[in-house]
Amino acid sequence: MNNEIAELKQIIEDSDNIVFFGGAGVSTESNIPDFRSENGIYNAVNQYGYPPETMLSHTFFKIHPDIFFDYLRKTLIYPDAKPNNAHIGLAKLEKMGKLKAVVTQNIDNLHQMAGSKTVYELHGTLYRNYCVKCHKQFDIDYIMNSEGIPHCDKCGGIVRPDVVLYEEGLDDTTVYNAVNAIRKADVLIVGGTSLNVYPAAGLIDYYRGNKLVLINKSTTPYDRRANLIIRENIGQVFKEVLDL
Ligand SMILES: [Zn+2]
Protein backbone atom coordinates (compact mmCIF):
# COMPACT_ATOMS: atom_id res chain seq x y z
CA MET A 1 0.00 0.00 0.00
CA ASN A 2 1.46 3.38 -0.89
CA ASN A 3 1.55 6.35 1.46
CA GLU A 4 -1.36 8.24 -0.06
CA ILE A 5 -3.68 5.25 0.21
CA ALA A 6 -2.65 4.74 3.84
CA GLU A 7 -3.27 8.41 4.55
CA LEU A 8 -6.74 8.32 2.98
CA LYS A 9 -7.53 5.19 4.93
CA GLN A 10 -6.66 7.02 8.15
CA ILE A 11 -8.68 10.11 7.19
CA ILE A 12 -11.74 7.94 6.51
CA GLU A 13 -11.24 5.97 9.71
CA ASP A 14 -11.17 9.16 11.78
CA SER A 15 -14.30 10.76 10.31
CA ASP A 16 -18.03 10.28 10.40
CA ASN A 17 -18.83 13.32 8.29
CA ILE A 18 -17.45 12.69 4.83
CA VAL A 19 -18.92 14.16 1.65
CA PHE A 20 -17.98 12.99 -1.82
CA PHE A 21 -18.08 15.21 -4.88
CA GLY A 22 -17.74 13.36 -8.18
CA GLY A 23 -17.54 13.98 -11.89
CA ALA A 24 -17.49 12.10 -15.17
CA GLY A 25 -14.34 10.14 -14.24
CA VAL A 26 -16.37 8.17 -11.71
CA SER A 27 -18.60 6.90 -14.52
CA THR A 28 -15.96 6.36 -17.19
CA GLU A 29 -14.63 3.49 -15.07
CA SER A 30 -18.05 1.89 -15.57
CA ASN A 31 -17.50 2.31 -19.32
CA ILE A 32 -19.74 5.33 -19.68
CA PRO A 33 -17.76 7.68 -21.90
CA ASP A 34 -17.60 11.39 -21.06
CA PHE A 35 -19.46 13.28 -23.79
CA ARG A 36 -17.37 16.37 -22.94
CA SER A 37 -14.12 14.53 -23.72
CA GLU A 38 -12.22 15.10 -26.96
CA ASN A 39 -13.51 11.79 -28.28
CA GLY A 40 -17.07 12.54 -27.25
CA ILE A 41 -17.02 15.88 -29.03
CA TYR A 42 -15.36 14.42 -32.13
CA ASN A 43 -17.88 11.60 -32.43
CA ALA A 44 -20.86 13.91 -31.97
CA VAL A 45 -19.70 16.37 -34.61
CA ASN A 46 -18.79 13.53 -36.94
CA GLN A 47 -22.14 11.77 -36.64
CA TYR A 48 -24.58 14.65 -36.16
CA GLY A 49 -22.76 17.77 -37.31
CA TYR A 50 -23.10 19.39 -33.87
CA PRO A 51 -20.99 19.32 -30.69
CA PRO A 52 -22.60 17.80 -27.55
CA GLU A 53 -22.99 21.22 -25.90
CA THR A 54 -25.22 22.31 -28.78
CA MET A 55 -27.31 19.14 -28.93
CA LEU A 56 -27.78 19.15 -25.16
CA SER A 57 -28.97 22.75 -25.05
CA HIS A 58 -32.50 23.86 -24.30
CA THR A 59 -32.75 25.67 -27.65
CA PHE A 60 -31.67 22.60 -29.61
CA PHE A 61 -34.13 20.39 -27.71
CA LYS A 62 -36.91 22.78 -28.71
CA ILE A 63 -35.91 23.03 -32.37
CA HIS A 64 -34.58 19.52 -33.08
CA PRO A 65 -36.15 17.14 -30.55
CA ASP A 66 -35.75 14.26 -33.04
CA ILE A 67 -31.95 14.65 -33.15
CA PHE A 68 -31.84 15.32 -29.42
CA PHE A 69 -33.50 11.99 -28.59
CA ASP A 70 -31.45 10.07 -31.13
CA TYR A 71 -28.24 11.42 -29.57
CA LEU A 72 -29.61 10.71 -26.09
CA ARG A 73 -30.47 7.08 -26.79
CA LYS A 74 -27.29 6.29 -28.72
CA THR A 75 -24.73 8.26 -26.77
CA LEU A 76 -25.88 9.13 -23.25
CA ILE A 77 -27.86 6.15 -22.01
CA TYR A 78 -25.98 2.99 -21.05
CA PRO A 79 -28.57 0.57 -19.67
CA ASP A 80 -25.99 -2.17 -19.09
CA ALA A 81 -23.51 -0.05 -17.11
CA LYS A 82 -22.75 -1.37 -13.62
CA PRO A 83 -21.45 0.48 -10.55
CA ASN A 84 -17.68 0.21 -10.07
CA ASN A 85 -15.66 0.09 -6.86
CA ALA A 86 -15.95 3.85 -6.35
CA HIS A 87 -19.77 3.64 -6.31
CA ILE A 88 -19.70 0.49 -4.21
CA GLY A 89 -17.19 1.95 -1.74
CA LEU A 90 -19.18 5.16 -1.28
CA ALA A 91 -22.39 3.22 -0.65
CA LYS A 92 -20.52 1.16 1.93
CA LEU A 93 -19.20 4.29 3.69
CA GLU A 94 -22.73 5.68 3.90
CA LYS A 95 -23.99 2.44 5.38
CA MET A 96 -21.18 2.56 7.96
CA GLY A 97 -22.42 6.02 8.98
CA LYS A 98 -19.27 7.74 7.75
CA LEU A 99 -20.47 9.36 4.56
CA LYS A 100 -23.22 11.98 4.67
CA ALA A 101 -23.79 12.64 0.97
CA VAL A 102 -22.67 12.07 -2.58
CA VAL A 103 -22.77 15.14 -4.79
CA THR A 104 -22.49 14.18 -8.43
CA GLN A 105 -22.36 15.76 -11.84
CA ASN A 106 -23.31 12.44 -13.43
CA ILE A 107 -26.78 11.58 -14.66
CA ASP A 108 -26.52 7.80 -14.82
CA ASN A 109 -28.02 6.58 -11.53
CA LEU A 110 -24.98 4.40 -10.74
CA HIS A 111 -24.62 5.66 -7.15
CA GLN A 112 -28.20 4.65 -6.40
CA MET A 113 -27.66 1.32 -8.14
CA ALA A 114 -24.74 0.71 -5.78
CA GLY A 115 -26.98 1.44 -2.80
CA SER A 116 -26.27 5.09 -1.97
CA LYS A 117 -29.27 6.87 -0.44
CA THR A 118 -28.33 10.54 -0.16
CA VAL A 119 -27.27 11.54 -3.66
CA TYR A 120 -27.49 15.12 -4.90
CA GLU A 121 -27.55 15.01 -8.68
CA LEU A 122 -26.52 18.49 -9.77
CA HIS A 123 -27.30 17.83 -13.42
CA GLY A 124 -30.40 15.75 -12.80
CA THR A 125 -30.84 12.17 -13.98
CA LEU A 126 -31.70 10.27 -17.13
CA TYR A 127 -33.65 7.85 -14.97
CA ARG A 128 -36.45 10.33 -14.28
CA ASN A 129 -38.46 11.66 -17.18
CA TYR A 130 -41.53 13.83 -17.33
CA CYS A 131 -44.14 15.15 -19.72
CA VAL A 132 -43.51 18.83 -20.42
CA LYS A 133 -47.29 19.44 -20.58
CA CYS A 134 -48.93 17.48 -17.74
CA HIS A 135 -45.76 16.52 -15.80
CA LYS A 136 -46.61 12.83 -15.65
CA GLN A 137 -43.47 10.89 -14.69
CA PHE A 138 -41.89 8.17 -16.81
CA ASP A 139 -38.95 5.82 -16.31
CA ILE A 140 -35.98 5.42 -18.60
CA ASP A 141 -37.48 2.37 -20.33
CA TYR A 142 -40.27 4.56 -21.65
CA ILE A 143 -37.64 6.61 -23.49
CA MET A 144 -35.63 3.61 -24.66
CA ASN A 145 -38.70 1.69 -25.84
CA SER A 146 -40.15 4.57 -27.80
CA GLU A 147 -39.03 5.68 -31.23
CA GLY A 148 -38.25 9.18 -32.39
CA ILE A 149 -39.69 11.79 -30.06
CA PRO A 150 -41.30 10.15 -26.98
CA HIS A 151 -44.80 11.36 -26.26
CA CYS A 152 -46.90 11.20 -23.10
CA ASP A 153 -49.48 8.39 -23.10
CA LYS A 154 -51.89 10.64 -21.21
CA CYS A 155 -51.81 13.98 -23.02
CA GLY A 156 -49.46 13.61 -25.99
CA GLY A 157 -46.88 16.11 -24.71
CA ILE A 158 -43.17 15.50 -25.22
CA VAL A 159 -41.54 13.39 -22.52
CA ARG A 160 -38.09 14.69 -21.63
CA PRO A 161 -35.38 13.56 -19.21
CA ASP A 162 -35.09 15.44 -15.92
CA VAL A 163 -31.54 16.53 -16.73
CA VAL A 164 -30.21 20.06 -16.71
CA LEU A 165 -29.61 21.07 -20.30
CA TYR A 166 -27.21 23.80 -21.32
CA GLU A 167 -28.97 27.20 -20.91
CA GLU A 168 -31.03 25.75 -18.06
CA GLY A 169 -30.41 26.47 -14.38
CA LEU A 170 -29.55 23.91 -11.73
CA ASP A 171 -32.31 22.85 -9.38
CA ASP A 172 -32.33 25.20 -6.36
CA THR A 173 -33.10 22.55 -3.75
CA THR A 174 -30.40 20.22 -5.05
CA VAL A 175 -27.80 23.00 -5.00
CA TYR A 176 -28.92 24.09 -1.53
CA ASN A 177 -28.60 20.56 -0.15
CA ALA A 178 -25.23 20.03 -1.83
CA VAL A 179 -23.83 23.33 -0.52
CA ASN A 180 -25.12 22.54 2.95
CA ALA A 181 -23.50 19.10 3.01
CA ILE A 182 -20.18 20.42 1.68
CA ARG A 183 -20.14 23.37 4.09
CA LYS A 184 -20.65 21.12 7.09
CA ALA A 185 -18.34 18.33 5.94
CA ASP A 186 -15.32 17.33 7.96
CA VAL A 187 -13.74 15.51 5.00
CA LEU A 188 -14.39 16.35 1.35
CA ILE A 189 -13.30 13.79 -1.20
CA VAL A 190 -13.37 15.04 -4.78
CA GLY A 191 -12.98 12.46 -7.51
CA GLY A 192 -13.10 11.93 -11.23
CA THR A 193 -13.39 15.57 -12.14
CA SER A 194 -10.93 18.13 -13.43
CA LEU A 195 -13.16 20.73 -11.71
CA ASN A 196 -13.59 22.75 -14.87
CA VAL A 197 -17.36 22.46 -15.27
CA TYR A 198 -19.09 25.46 -13.75
CA PRO A 199 -21.13 26.26 -11.78
CA ALA A 200 -20.83 22.82 -10.24
CA ALA A 201 -17.11 23.08 -9.56
CA GLY A 202 -17.61 26.31 -7.58
CA LEU A 203 -19.37 24.26 -4.88
CA ILE A 204 -15.97 23.11 -3.64
CA ASP A 205 -15.39 26.68 -2.42
CA TYR A 206 -17.98 26.10 0.31
CA TYR A 207 -15.80 23.52 2.00
CA ARG A 208 -14.25 24.90 5.19
CA GLY A 209 -12.35 21.94 6.55
CA ASN A 210 -8.71 20.95 6.23
CA LYS A 211 -9.12 17.49 4.77
CA LEU A 212 -9.70 18.09 1.08
CA VAL A 213 -8.81 14.94 -0.82
CA LEU A 214 -8.49 15.01 -4.61
CA ILE A 215 -8.53 11.76 -6.56
CA ASN A 216 -7.97 12.55 -10.21
CA LYS A 217 -5.50 11.46 -12.86
CA SER A 218 -4.82 14.95 -14.20
CA THR A 219 -4.17 18.21 -12.39
CA THR A 220 -7.05 20.46 -11.33
CA PRO A 221 -7.28 24.17 -10.44
CA TYR A 222 -7.79 23.06 -6.81
CA ASP A 223 -4.60 21.01 -6.45
CA ARG A 224 -2.89 23.73 -4.43
CA ARG A 225 -5.71 23.75 -1.90
CA ALA A 226 -5.81 19.98 -1.51
CA ASN A 227 -4.49 18.31 1.62
CA LEU A 228 -4.07 15.00 -0.15
CA ILE A 229 -3.82 14.26 -3.88
CA ILE A 230 -4.06 10.76 -5.31
CA ARG A 231 -3.40 10.34 -9.02
CA GLU A 232 -4.92 6.92 -9.60
CA ASN A 233 -8.10 5.40 -10.97
CA ILE A 234 -10.80 6.19 -8.47
CA GLY A 235 -12.24 2.67 -8.48
CA GLN A 236 -8.82 1.26 -7.67
CA VAL A 237 -8.37 3.75 -4.82
CA PHE A 238 -11.64 2.73 -3.16
CA LYS A 239 -10.85 -0.92 -3.70
CA GLU A 240 -7.57 -0.55 -1.83
CA VAL A 241 -8.79 1.79 0.87
CA LEU A 242 -11.86 -0.26 1.77
CA ASP A 243 -10.48 -3.72 0.91
CA LEU A 244 -13.32 -4.35 -1.55
ZN1 LIG B 1 -48.66 14.51 -20.48
Side-chain angles (χ1 to χ4, degrees):
M1 198 192 310
N2 67 35
N3 284 340
E4 284 84 20
I5 296 288
E7 205 177 328
L8 178 56
K9 208 168 180 160
Q10 191 61 50
I11 288 173
I12 289 174
E13 214 163 285
D14 292 344
S15 180
D16 61 359
N17 186 6
I18 302 166
V19 169
F20 178 79
F21 181 95
V26 178
S27 294
T28 49
E29 289 183 35
S30 288
N31 296 318
I32 297 180
D34 180 6
F35 65 83
R36 296 183 205 86
S37 69
E38 239 173 83
N39 239 341
I41 295 168
Y42 174 83
N43 289 336
V45 172
N46 205 29
Q47 196 177 348
Y48 295 94
Y50 306 96
E53 270 192 40
T54 302
M55 285 191 280
L56 296 172
S57 69
H58 183 82
T59 305
F60 193 89
F61 167 71
K62 286 282 188 193
I63 301 172
H64 301 292
D66 48 337
I67 304 175
F68 172 87
F69 281 106
D70 192 67
Y71 178 64
L72 192 81
R73 288 192 191 93
K74 289 185 185 153
T75 310
L76 291 190
I77 302 177
Y78 290 83
D80 300 328
K82 298 270 180 297
N84 61 56
N85 281 324
H87 302 103
I88 293 165
L90 289 163
K92 187 176 171 185
L93 286 175
E94 185 182 33
K95 218 171 178 182
M96 290 163 73
K98 292 189 154 293
L99 183 114
K100 295 298 179 214
V102 168
V103 180
T104 182
Q105 294 171 279
N106 300 326
I107 54 178
D108 51 39
N109 203 44
L110 289 180
H111 285 294
Q112 289 91 336
M113 275 165 80
S116 284
K117 302 291 179 216
T118 304
V119 183
Y120 301 128
E121 298 167 303
L122 295 172
H123 295 158
T125 173
L126 290 165
Y127 281 71
R128 241 184 359 248
N129 297 270
Y130 66 93
C131 169
V132 296
K133 262 194 193 165
C134 76
H135 297 102
K136 181 177 172 183
Q137 301 260 340
F138 295 89
D139 60 16
I140 196 165
D141 293 337
Y142 193 82
I143 303 288
M144 289 310 277
N145 296 334
S146 59
E147 275 177 37
I149 304 163
H151 286 98
C152 174
D153 57 6
K154 193 174 147 204
C155 79
I158 294 180
V159 176
R160 66 162 277 182
D162 197 357
V163 296
V164 180
L165 299 176
Y166 288 93
E167 304 164 355
E168 293 179 339
L170 305 188
D171 176 65
D172 286 342
T173 308
T174 307
V175 173
Y176 176 83
N177 287 332
V179 165
N180 212 25
I182 290 170
R183 205 202 307 262
K184 290 194 293 198
D186 163 39
V187 175
L188 180 62
I189 303 175
V190 179
T193 169
S194 50
L195 290 168
N196 287 319
V197 180
Y198 282 87
L203 292 182
I204 304 303
D205 292 332
Y206 288 95
Y207 176 62
R208 292 164 178 183
N210 60 359
K211 286 165 214 143
L212 175 61
V213 181
L214 291 186
I215 306 170
N216 200 51
K217 291 188 109 176
S218 58
T219 59
T220 83
Y222 285 79
D223 282 7
R224 269 184 307 154
R225 277 185 49 191
N227 303 98
L228 174 63
I229 299 176
I230 304 179
R231 300 228 185 274
E232 267 186 67
N233 289 334
I234 190 157
Q236 184 61 28
V237 171
F238 276 94
K239 181 172 188 264
E240 289 178 40
V241 167
L242 296 173
D243 301 316
L244 299 173

